[in-house]
Amino acid sequence: MSSSGADAVELNEVACRLADLAAGHIEAVQELRPLLHRIVVSPTLSGAVKTFVVQALLLLDDPRIASGAAGGAPLIQKIRKLLEAALAATKSELSAVTAERDRLRRAYELLKGELELLRRRLFVAKAERIDTTQLEIEFAETKAKLALLARALEDAGVSVESGAAANEPTSSESGNSGRPAGGKKAPK
C-alpha cells in the first residue's frame, strides 16, 4: 500500500476515534496515541496537519487525561477540536490537489489531441511530397524513349523538329495559305 493510502487509513481511524471520544469513550484516547505518531512521521501529510496532531499529542500527555479526572474533559474537547481541524485541513488539501490533478489531466488530454493532430499533419505532408529524384529518373527515361522515336522517324525519312514547332501544323497543312485565322467576315 502506498504511503498516501496508509495515511488515508490512519486519518479514517482518527475520525473513528474522534466519534468514540464524542460518545464519551475515554479508552479511545489510548488508541489515538499510536495513530497520531504514525501521522506525524508520514512524509505525505502537510506541516499544518502535523502541527495540529503534535498539539493533540502534547495534550494527550497531560496527567489529568490519564487519571480520568473531571479536569480532563476540557482537554479531551481540545484534542477533539485539534484533530477535527487536522482532518479539515487534510480534506481542504485533498480538494486542492484533486482540482489541480483534474486541471492537469485536462491539459494533458488537450496536448495529447494536439500531438495527434500534428502527427497527422506531418504524415499527410510526407504523403503529399513529390520525390524529385524519382521524377528526374522518369523524365530521363521518357526523354530517352523520345530520342529513340525521333531517331526511328529520321531513319524512316520523316523530318523531326525539336520543341513545340514540331507539333504545330505548317501553313500548307492547315490550308489557310499564310493568312491569319478568322480573317474577314462574309457579307450578310
Side-chain angles (χ1 to χ4, degrees), residues 113-133:
E114 203 171 311
L115 176 64
E116 186 60 31
L117 181 64
L118 289 173
R119 281 184 181 157
R120 286 182 189 161
R121 285 182 183 166
L122 182 63
F123 177 74
V124 168
K126 282 184 178 180
E128 289 178 352
R129 285 188 194 145
I130 298 172
D131 187 6
T132 56
T133 56

Side-chain angles (χ1 to χ4, degrees), residues 1-179:
M1 181 183 294
S2 68
S3 60
S4 62
D7 292 338
V9 170
E10 300 293 337
L11 290 171
N12 286 337
E13 280 295 314
V14 168
C16 289
R17 297 296 76 83
L18 284 177
D20 290 345
L21 278 176
H25 301 286
I26 299 297
E27 62 276 357
V29 169
Q30 297 308 318
E31 296 172 9
L32 267 176
R33 188 178 307 278
L35 287 172
L36 298 179
H37 281 286
R38 286 192 294 269
I39 290 172
V40 169
V41 298
S42 170
T44 58
L45 293 174
S46 72
V49 172
K50 290 180 180 184
T51 301
F52 290 127
V53 171
V54 167
Q55 289 174 355
L57 275 169
L58 290 173
L59 289 175
L60 280 175
D61 290 335
D62 192 298
R64 290 177 284 181
I65 291 178
S67 67
L75 293 176
I76 290 176
Q77 288 297 336
K78 285 183 183 180
I79 291 170
R80 277 188 54 225
K81 286 182 182 180
L82 285 169
L83 295 178
E84 286 170 354
L87 286 172
T90 303
K91 288 178 184 177
S92 171
E93 291 170 6
L94 179 63
S95 66
V97 168
T98 302
E100 178 72 10
R101 183 211 55 209
D102 292 343
R103 186 186 66 76
L104 290 173
R105 186 174 284 155
R106 281 191 303 275
Y108 170 76
E109 291 299 324
L110 287 173
L111 284 174
K112 197 167 125 180
E114 203 171 311
L115 176 64
E116 186 60 31
L117 181 64
L118 289 173
R119 281 184 181 157
R120 286 182 189 161
R121 285 182 183 166
L122 182 63
F123 177 74
V124 168
K126 282 184 178 180
E128 289 178 352
R129 285 188 194 145
I130 298 172
D131 187 6
T132 56
T133 56
Q134 184 64 33
L135 285 176
E136 289 172 0
I137 292 170
E138 290 176 10
F139 181 71
E141 290 173 358
T142 306
K143 190 176 178 182
K145 288 178 186 177
L146 186 61
L148 282 173
L149 285 174
R151 267 189 248 126
L153 287 173
E154 285 177 4
D155 291 344
V158 179
S159 69
V160 178
E161 295 179 26
S162 65
N167 294 332
E168 294 177 2
T170 61
S171 61
S172 61
E173 292 173 349
S174 63
N176 63 6
S177 65
R179 284 182 289 181

